[in-house]
Amino acid sequence: MKIAVCIKQVPEGTKRIDRATMRLDRSGEGALNAFDAHAVEEALRVKDAAGGGEIVLVSMGPAKASDALRKALAMGADRSVLVTDDAAAGADLVGTSRVLASVLEREEADLVLFGQQAADADGAVLWSAVAERLRRPVISQVAELTVADGKARGKRQTEFGYDVIEAPLPAVVAVSDAINEPRYPSLKGIMGAKSKPQETLTLADLGVEAGAKTEVLALSDPPPRGDTTKIEDDGTAAAQIVEFLIEKRLL
Amino acid sequence: MSTLVFLEHHDGEIQKGALGVVAKAAQLGDVSGVVVGSDVRGLAEQAGKYGASKVFVAEDAALDAPLPQPRVDVLASLVRDQGFDTVLFAASVLAADVAAGLAARLDAGLNWDLADLTEQDGRLVGKRPALGDSVFVDVGWGDGPKLALFRSGTFDPVETGGSAEVEDAAVQLEEHSKAATMIEQAHAESEGPNLEEADVIVAGGRGLGGPENFTLVEELAKALGGAVGATRAVVDAGWYPYSTQIGQTGKTVGPKLYVACGISGAIQHKVGMQSSGTIVAINKDPNAPIFEFADFGVVGDIHQVVPKLTELVRERRG
Amino acid sequence: MTRPADYPAPFSVDEAVGPPTDSPDERIDVGVLIVGAGPAGLACAIRLGQLLEEAPEVRGRLGEVPVAVLEKGKQPGSHLLSGAAVNPRGLRRLFRGRKQLEELPLLGPVEGESVYFLTAGSAFRIPAPPTMKNEGNYVASLSQLGRWLAEQAEEGGSMILPETAATKLLVEQGRVVGVRTGDKGRGRNDEPLPNFEPGSDLVARVTVLAEGTQGHLTGAAIERFGLAGDNPQVWALGVKEIWRVAKPLDRVIHTMGWPLRGGARYREFGGSFIYPMGEDHVALGMVVGLDYRDAELSVHDVLQELKTHRLMRKILEGGERVEWGAKTIPEGGFLALPKQLHAPGLLLCGDGVGMVNVPALKGIHYAIESGRLAAETAFEALQRGRTAATPGALASYDRAVRDSYIWRDLEQVRNMRPAFSRGFWVGGALAGMMTATRGKLPPFTFRTERDADVELIVTDRAKRYPAPDGKLTFDKLSSVFLSGNKTRDDQPDHIRIQRKVPNELAELWVRMCPAQVYEVGVADGEGTVEVEVNPSKCVQCGAITAKGGRLTPPEGGSGPEYQRT
């Protein structure tokens, strides 16, 4: 069972936007994205249940992203592949999915896992784009995953309740943070991570371009929340709240 | 601008969010919609009433289950055949997957979590919040079709009373799009909405006074059809379970309505709920920081205000 | 009158010292184990890397991991906080022949300085006391410097292990053989959670403790091996903020006086610092000795009050607060140093043993120098035919420290801080005398008094703290947020204090703690109250240990995530 987990680095500490480049200020150190930790944990469980296999981490980012990868290796993943290239900075969904897909094609994994969302971009969408490029079935928001008999079965939550969706392997699955509790790496794991194979590739190595079809044009302050009302209760507060909610079409 | 809106539907109704996007798009030009499923022709009429001038219907038994990949196929063909330059979606679990798959299929730019869309100097500009709503970003698109996902509930549907031309859309599914199958389709869980998906959250904080007073919060939540949340302080004190904790070290939520009962609004809590659509706060401390960002604040006794509110809500909802 | 020392923390050294408990094949072997990725620990690791590079046969005998550095913070720098105006001496020596000072991430030389004595309405410029002159020093962010030093240490072959707390000193047959790391994944009541991961016994030939202020194992080692000097250690609490400013600041500033009170009754020793950090940021902080008496004193709030002074307002106008943090500083100086800095298999460095020149407010270069000297001693002890465990094998470290400028500098200013227990004015006069005579006068030596032994008084000091306005002055909760603290809430409580104490003591703790960890709970009507603890807010400053409680290391990775402090 070969499992690939896509990892995205997230800057540590209180997040800031660099007003000059209008991009997320990534000059602070990176950490393993909390959601990706769930994906790594799930990969470890699936590998365990399958009685063995290989877990390869795939990421695209600056060289510092290797810190996040090392944490995932410490948890128990077997090796990592990092695509790092100046030309890839500022890549958006279109570019990132293209690059990741080209690495994943090389790897030919049975299962490709993603974490639910990147805490910095709030963009819960990368896996669908990658699945499309790989021409594989995708199941997202999975809160419970079973992999057996060449199939992946996911219980996933939508606005309407739970679906159970099944797809034959090879498949792409995005797991939500409800799926598991990521393990703490053991000290041995942390120390052993250094010696696990960590490959770095450039875009030229893969023969792809990153790029973007979207751009950030400007930053501005958020619109004020609108009129805020503050009243003291004279017995009618509850009724006033109801009026307010009706006005806002919430009731 | 030639716009296509993905009309997600459930239980025989087009999602309100999608109709809202139609209304917004109609402000900018001509709007077509697309409904995908089995036995969905009737929905075309609905779309017409809310501003779509044309509705494409992709009907097939294979499209019955709300899976994203077949919808990517349908939309991709439509974009190619009809020449749409803009495709809009109201965010949902399904819509996000469809939009992203479509972006990859067409190598098209996708901007998400948009709160607004405008035309500036002849180009389309989206506006989206970032970093927990503390900053707004203007985003644009490169060449090719422009895809956008709007934050749920951003726009209200506008009934124009019009009617739409109905056309059949081609249904040609790729092999990989047919691979996933729906084994069991969603049915709502009996315990009420899950915290992160809930449209309404009623949360309780230290100001409640004691764990027994959480019943006030629960009753109001039930009346509003929402979920119950708690602050770190009351979870620490053991009044309510950790799974309901909202805030920096708990869950981050963004419901349409957040009712904060006895919550001071310290920043550790605020960052977990600040992107809520509307915030109502009830607290007896007039200086509580929550009043600085609540849309409607009541300085009062929770034990007086909340039960009355619950009663009135129940009456109203019938 | 209430003294914090009358309500000692429920903590015993036996919890922090013991034999290994893992089976021999489970234990993890390293060559030299360093606890703490601060300036002392990293200097030690860097120097060892330099020495081992030239001695591959020694290196080869140290196993797969010749040098390991444990860090309880999320990453090196996460728990580092200082002013700082660094004396470059230590760094120059450490990187001699390898790097120029310009290559280090320092924020520029000190261009000018002013010292002010403040009253509520004015600022009187006074000549900088000679011990406080910063000519030739460099402003730095210790947190940033720490991250950079960690990179150098790694490049030199050390393995840095962040998010790893050292909770027990492993001692076997009278010698230190390593440390045990902390468990992860325990719940509020200590119960193992589904992802529970037990700590490990890490064994090493030489263990170097460079834990910084209030070092957990350092304190235990000093007690277990009887290394304590004649005088107890004392501490000050520093609360610091970093601001982005509209106008660059052109010099370093120190202030004394207001808002602290000079009367002997209050024993408020301290002052503030404002340092430029490049063109567009400043660091400012308030440092107050923890031997203060007033239960209502809150260093955080005194810092907020300080900012309302017109001198500060001018500097901060148009600016924005971007970071906040707090940490204690050992202030016993020479008098409180342990009488011996080593034990079999063990070396002690830096702030952990109090190598701070208080009047000069300097400790970083001593930490670095002590780390470097520890590395040299450790390296010697690892030569063929020697073992670090032999009694006296590490004694050369003590000799080296005594021969170094660390000893010379600290001895010269040894009486400075204790003199101020007599109040600002008497203290100032005594300090002047000491400076003029380079420590020869006064002819006697003061003693330090334990912070926890100081009797409490209660005034209405709190009335004068400014109400937080969210622009210039801030409350504690929003400040903790800016420290980057995101500690998991359902961890065991890592703070040891007595829970039922007199009202004044509870009040002391509530005000003292910059992170608002303590709250006054239910009163029993007889003058005692319950103390409630919110451990996840803790930024691990260490103040509680000085005042009757005991801070123990929480789960690795917890606490603040300082970026630029």
Side-chain angles (χ1 to χ4, degrees), chain C residues 275-287:
Chain C
Y275 297 157
M277 293 180 69
E279 289 278 301
D280 41 338
H281 287 85
V282 301
L284 71 148
M286 189 76 213
V287 179

mmCIF file with all atom_site columns, all heavy atoms in Angstrom, chain C residues 275-287:
data_model
loop_
_atom_site.group_PDB
_atom_site.id
_atom_site.type_symbol
_atom_site.label_atom_id
_atom_site.label_alt_id
_atom_site.label_comp_id
_atom_site.label_asym_id
_atom_site.label_entity_id
_atom_site.label_seq_id
_atom_site.pdbx_PDB_ins_code
_atom_site.Cartn_x
_atom_site.Cartn_y
_atom_site.Cartn_z
_atom_site.occupancy
_atom_site.B_iso_or_equiv
_atom_site.pdbx_formal_charge
_atom_site.auth_seq_id
_atom_site.auth_comp_id
_atom_site.auth_asym_id
_atom_site.auth_atom_id
_atom_site.pdbx_PDB_model_num
ATOM 1  N N   . TYR C 1 275 ? 14.586 50.265 23.485 1.00 0.00 ? 275 TYR C N   1
ATOM 2  C CA  . TYR C 1 275 ? 15.671 50.084 22.525 1.00 0.00 ? 275 TYR C CA  1
ATOM 3  C C   . TYR C 1 275 ? 15.122 50.158 21.109 1.00 0.00 ? 275 TYR C C   1
ATOM 4  O O   . TYR C 1 275 ? 14.079 49.585 20.817 1.00 0.00 ? 275 TYR C O   1
ATOM 5  C CB  . TYR C 1 275 ? 16.320 48.702 22.689 1.00 0.00 ? 275 TYR C CB  1
ATOM 6  C CG  . TYR C 1 275 ? 16.995 48.449 24.017 1.00 0.00 ? 275 TYR C CG  1
ATOM 7  C CD1 . TYR C 1 275 ? 17.176 47.149 24.467 1.00 0.00 ? 275 TYR C CD1 1
ATOM 8  C CD2 . TYR C 1 275 ? 17.453 49.487 24.810 1.00 0.00 ? 275 TYR C CD2 1
ATOM 9  C CE1 . TYR C 1 275 ? 17.801 46.878 25.668 1.00 0.00 ? 275 TYR C CE1 1
ATOM 10 C CE2 . TYR C 1 275 ? 18.084 49.230 26.021 1.00 0.00 ? 275 TYR C CE2 1
ATOM 11 C CZ  . TYR C 1 275 ? 18.250 47.923 26.449 1.00 0.00 ? 275 TYR C CZ  1
ATOM 12 O OH  . TYR C 1 275 ? 18.873 47.655 27.643 1.00 0.00 ? 275 TYR C OH  1
ATOM 13 N N   . PRO C 1 276 ? 15.839 50.816 20.198 1.00 0.00 ? 276 PRO C N   1
ATOM 14 C CA  . PRO C 1 276 ? 15.397 50.794 18.804 1.00 0.00 ? 276 PRO C CA  1
ATOM 15 C C   . PRO C 1 276 ? 15.700 49.429 18.203 1.00 0.00 ? 276 PRO C C   1
ATOM 16 O O   . PRO C 1 276 ? 16.758 48.857 18.469 1.00 0.00 ? 276 PRO C O   1
ATOM 17 C CB  . PRO C 1 276 ? 16.266 51.862 18.139 1.00 0.00 ? 276 PRO C CB  1
ATOM 18 C CG  . PRO C 1 276 ? 17.473 51.995 19.007 1.00 0.00 ? 276 PRO C CG  1
ATOM 19 C CD  . PRO C 1 276 ? 17.082 51.574 20.389 1.00 0.00 ? 276 PRO C CD  1
ATOM 20 N N   . MET C 1 277 ? 14.764 48.894 17.431 1.00 0.00 ? 277 MET C N   1
ATOM 21 C CA  . MET C 1 277 ? 15.039 47.639 16.729 1.00 0.00 ? 277 MET C CA  1
ATOM 22 C C   . MET C 1 277 ? 14.962 47.961 15.244 1.00 0.00 ? 277 MET C C   1
ATOM 23 O O   . MET C 1 277 ? 13.882 47.906 14.653 1.00 0.00 ? 277 MET C O   1
ATOM 24 C CB  . MET C 1 277 ? 14.010 46.571 17.112 1.00 0.00 ? 277 MET C CB  1
ATOM 25 C CG  . MET C 1 277 ? 14.141 46.155 18.561 1.00 0.00 ? 277 MET C CG  1
ATOM 26 S SD  . MET C 1 277 ? 12.947 44.906 19.027 1.00 0.00 ? 277 MET C SD  1
ATOM 27 C CE  . MET C 1 277 ? 13.520 43.493 18.118 1.00 0.00 ? 277 MET C CE  1
ATOM 28 N N   . GLY C 1 278 ? 16.087 48.343 14.693 1.00 0.00 ? 278 GLY C N   1
ATOM 29 C CA  . GLY C 1 278 ? 16.066 48.775 13.304 1.00 0.00 ? 278 GLY C CA  1
ATOM 30 C C   . GLY C 1 278 ? 15.361 50.118 13.195 1.00 0.00 ? 278 GLY C C   1
ATOM 31 O O   . GLY C 1 278 ? 15.183 50.829 14.174 1.00 0.00 ? 278 GLY C O   1
ATOM 32 N N   . GLU C 1 279 ? 14.905 50.397 11.995 1.00 0.00 ? 279 GLU C N   1
ATOM 33 C CA  . GLU C 1 279 ? 14.317 51.714 11.728 1.00 0.00 ? 279 GLU C CA  1
ATOM 34 C C   . GLU C 1 279 ? 12.878 51.822 12.201 1.00 0.00 ? 279 GLU C C   1
ATOM 35 O O   . GLU C 1 279 ? 12.407 52.887 12.544 1.00 0.00 ? 279 GLU C O   1
ATOM 36 C CB  . GLU C 1 279 ? 14.333 51.964 10.209 1.00 0.00 ? 279 GLU C CB  1
ATOM 37 C CG  . GLU C 1 279 ? 15.700 52.198 9.640  1.00 0.00 ? 279 GLU C CG  1
ATOM 38 C CD  . GLU C 1 279 ? 16.123 53.646 9.835  1.00 0.00 ? 279 GLU C CD  1
ATOM 39 O OE1 . GLU C 1 279 ? 15.418 54.534 9.344  1.00 0.00 ? 279 GLU C OE1 1
ATOM 40 O OE2 . GLU C 1 279 ? 17.142 53.869 10.504 1.00 0.00 ? 279 GLU C OE2 1
ATOM 41 N N   . ASP C 1 280 ? 12.164 50.721 12.135 1.00 0.00 ? 280 ASP C N   1
ATOM 42 C CA  . ASP C 1 280 ? 10.722 50.859 12.336 1.00 0.00 ? 280 ASP C CA  1
ATOM 43 C C   . ASP C 1 280 ? 10.131 50.105 13.506 1.00 0.00 ? 280 ASP C C   1
ATOM 44 O O   . ASP C 1 280 ? 8.916  49.957 13.594 1.00 0.00 ? 280 ASP C O   1
ATOM 45 C CB  . ASP C 1 280 ? 9.980  50.466 11.040 1.00 0.00 ? 280 ASP C CB  1
ATOM 46 C CG  . ASP C 1 280 ? 10.602 49.245 10.403 1.00 0.00 ? 280 ASP C CG  1
ATOM 47 O OD1 . ASP C 1 280 ? 11.781 48.966 10.672 1.00 0.00 ? 280 ASP C OD1 1
ATOM 48 O OD2 . ASP C 1 280 ? 9.921  48.580 9.616  1.00 0.00 ? 280 ASP C OD2 1
ATOM 49 N N   . HIS C 1 281 ? 10.971 49.636 14.419 1.00 0.00 ? 281 HIS C N   1
ATOM 50 C CA  . HIS C 1 281 ? 10.411 48.995 15.610 1.00 0.00 ? 281 HIS C CA  1
ATOM 51 C C   . HIS C 1 281 ? 11.165 49.431 16.844 1.00 0.00 ? 281 HIS C C   1
ATOM 52 O O   . HIS C 1 281 ? 12.334 49.810 16.763 1.00 0.00 ? 281 HIS C O   1
ATOM 53 C CB  . HIS C 1 281 ? 10.499 47.464 15.493 1.00 0.00 ? 281 HIS C CB  1
ATOM 54 C CG  . HIS C 1 281 ? 9.532  46.881 14.527 1.00 0.00 ? 281 HIS C CG  1
ATOM 55 N ND1 . HIS C 1 281 ? 9.797  46.800 13.174 1.00 0.00 ? 281 HIS C ND1 1
ATOM 56 C CD2 . HIS C 1 281 ? 8.299  46.346 14.691 1.00 0.00 ? 281 HIS C CD2 1
ATOM 57 C CE1 . HIS C 1 281 ? 8.762  46.239 12.572 1.00 0.00 ? 281 HIS C CE1 1
ATOM 58 N NE2 . HIS C 1 281 ? 7.836  45.950 13.459 1.00 0.00 ? 281 HIS C NE2 1
ATOM 59 N N   . VAL C 1 282 ? 10.502 49.388 17.982 1.00 0.00 ? 282 VAL C N   1
ATOM 60 C CA  . VAL C 1 282 ? 11.207 49.552 19.251 1.00 0.00 ? 282 VAL C CA  1
ATOM 61 C C   . VAL C 1 282 ? 10.777 48.449 20.197 1.00 0.00 ? 282 VAL C C   1
ATOM 62 O O   . VAL C 1 282 ? 9.685  47.903 20.090 1.00 0.00 ? 282 VAL C O   1
ATOM 63 C CB  . VAL C 1 282 ? 10.942 50.924 19.943 1.00 0.00 ? 282 VAL C CB  1
ATOM 64 C CG1 . VAL C 1 282 ? 11.343 52.069 19.067 1.00 0.00 ? 282 VAL C CG1 1
ATOM 65 C CG2 . VAL C 1 282 ? 9.517  51.046 20.390 1.00 0.00 ? 282 VAL C CG2 1
ATOM 66 N N   . ALA C 1 283 ? 11.688 48.159 21.120 1.00 0.00 ? 283 ALA C N   1
ATOM 67 C CA  . ALA C 1 283 ? 11.370 47.215 22.187 1.00 0.00 ? 283 ALA C CA  1
ATOM 68 C C   . ALA C 1 283 ? 11.337 48.035 23.464 1.00 0.00 ? 283 ALA C C   1
ATOM 69 O O   . ALA C 1 283 ? 12.212 48.858 23.703 1.00 0.00 ? 283 ALA C O   1
ATOM 70 C CB  . ALA C 1 283 ? 12.460 46.170 22.282 1.00 0.00 ? 283 ALA C CB  1
ATOM 71 N N   . LEU C 1 284 ? 10.299 47.842 24.251 1.00 0.00 ? 284 LEU C N   1
ATOM 72 C CA  . LEU C 1 284 ? 10.302 48.523 25.541 1.00 0.00 ? 284 LEU C CA  1
ATOM 73 C C   . LEU C 1 284 ? 9.853  47.576 26.624 1.00 0.00 ? 284 LEU C C   1
ATOM 74 O O   . LEU C 1 284 ? 9.029  46.698 26.396 1.00 0.00 ? 284 LEU C O   1
ATOM 75 C CB  . LEU C 1 284 ? 9.427  49.778 25.538 1.00 0.00 ? 284 LEU C CB  1
ATOM 76 C CG  . LEU C 1 284 ? 7.923  49.616 25.497 1.00 0.00 ? 284 LEU C CG  1
ATOM 77 C CD1 . LEU C 1 284 ? 7.276  50.749 26.256 1.00 0.00 ? 284 LEU C CD1 1
ATOM 78 C CD2 . LEU C 1 284 ? 7.453  49.661 24.060 1.00 0.00 ? 284 LEU C CD2 1
ATOM 79 N N   . GLY C 1 285 ? 10.421 47.766 27.807 1.00 0.00 ? 285 GLY C N   1
ATOM 80 C CA  . GLY C 1 285 ? 10.077 46.843 28.874 1.00 0.00 ? 285 GLY C CA  1
ATOM 81 C C   . GLY C 1 285 ? 10.262 47.453 30.236 1.00 0.00 ? 285 GLY C C   1
ATOM 82 O O   . GLY C 1 285 ? 10.975 48.440 30.405 1.00 0.00 ? 285 GLY C O   1
ATOM 83 N N   . MET C 1 286 ? 9.608  46.844 31.190 1.00 0.00 ? 286 MET C N   1
ATOM 84 C CA  . MET C 1 286 ? 9.684  47.259 32.583 1.00 0.00 ? 286 MET C CA  1
ATOM 85 C C   . MET C 1 286 ? 10.242 46.090 33.368 1.00 0.00 ? 286 MET C C   1
ATOM 86 O O   . MET C 1 286 ? 9.772  44.957 33.208 1.00 0.00 ? 286 MET C O   1
ATOM 87 C CB  . MET C 1 286 ? 8.265  47.570 33.060 1.00 0.00 ? 286 MET C CB  1
ATOM 88 C CG  . MET C 1 286 ? 8.189  48.210 34.408 1.00 0.00 ? 286 MET C CG  1
ATOM 89 S SD  . MET C 1 286 ? 8.645  49.932 34.280 1.00 0.00 ? 286 MET C SD  1
ATOM 90 C CE  . MET C 1 286 ? 9.414  50.156 35.842 1.00 0.00 ? 286 MET C CE  1
ATOM 91 N N   . VAL C 1 287 ? 11.267 46.344 34.196 1.00 0.00 ? 287 VAL C N   1
ATOM 92 C CA  . VAL C 1 287 ? 11.875 45.266 34.969 1.00 0.00 ? 287 VAL C CA  1
ATOM 93 C C   . VAL C 1 287 ? 11.777 45.632 36.438 1.00 0.00 ? 287 VAL C C   1
ATOM 94 O O   . VAL C 1 287 ? 12.218 46.713 36.833 1.00 0.00 ? 287 VAL C O   1
ATOM 95 C CB  . VAL C 1 287 ? 13.366 45.106 34.589 1.00 0.00 ? 287 VAL C CB  1
ATOM 96 C CG1 . VAL C 1 287 ? 14.003 43.993 35.406 1.00 0.00 ? 287 VAL C CG1 1
ATOM 97 C CG2 . VAL C 1 287 ? 13.501 44.800 33.096 1.00 0.00 ? 287 VAL C CG2 1
#
